[in-house]
Amino acid sequence: MSVISLTIARHHLRDPDDDDEYLELLIEAAEGQAMDYLNRRFYADQQALDEAVAADDAGESPMVCNKQIKAACLLILGHLYANREDVVIGTIATELPQGSKALLTPHRIGWGI
């Protein structure tokens, strides 16, 4: 279960017309990238976390998702949505200093990726 709903994703992306399947793919990729950076899994609520722990699928140091992590996932989602190719020609990009890593780092464990 994703922590970012399609409704929130559409609102964030300001594009209500894209295919649900495509947006769900990007949501899963954004959340996966955030979990990889954190070196831990996060869950939408305590019930989902408890179910993952009971199924022995939660990994080490799982947590319930908070607003900072959701905001970071939306930033990552926006990047994936806006940059649909590996190479973008004719643009200048600047990483935001308060971007996804700044939101995720306080919740990160270990050094990993």
Side-chain angles (χ1 to χ4, degrees):
M1 169 187 251
S2 292
V3 297
I4 304 297
S5 69
L6 271 174
T7 302
I8 294 295
R10 286 186 191 290
H11 182 70
H12 177 73
L13 299 173
R14 297 183 184 120
D15 188 346
D17 298 326
D18 249 328
D19 180 16
D20 286 356
E21 187 176 347
Y22 176 67
L23 290 180
E24 287 170 355
L25 171 78
L26 293 182
I27 291 167
E28 288 178 27
E31 291 178 1
Q33 184 177 346
M35 284 189 259
D36 287 347
Y37 181 78
L38 292 173
N39 296 314
R40 65 197 306 190
R41 297 189 58 78
F42 52 78
Y43 296 89
D45 54 33
Q46 188 63 48
Q47 180 180 350
L49 173 60
D50 292 344
E51 289 171 3
V53 169
D56 199 29
D57 189 35
E60 292 185 36
S61 302
M63 66 181 289
V64 173
C65 190
N66 59 35
K67 291 178 182 178
Q68 293 89 347
I69 293 172
K70 286 182 183 181
C73 289
L74 287 171
L75 288 173
I76 296 166
L77 173 66
H79 172 75
L80 293 172
Y81 186 80
N83 301 289
R84 298 181 185 208
E85 304 295 332
D86 278 344
V87 177
V88 179
I89 298 172
T91 64
I92 297 173
T94 303
E95 187 172 352
L96 298 173
Q98 293 297 317
S100 60
K101 288 184 181 177
L103 292 165
L104 293 171
T105 297
H107 309 287
R108 189 176 189 200
I109 58 172
W111 290 98
I113 299 170

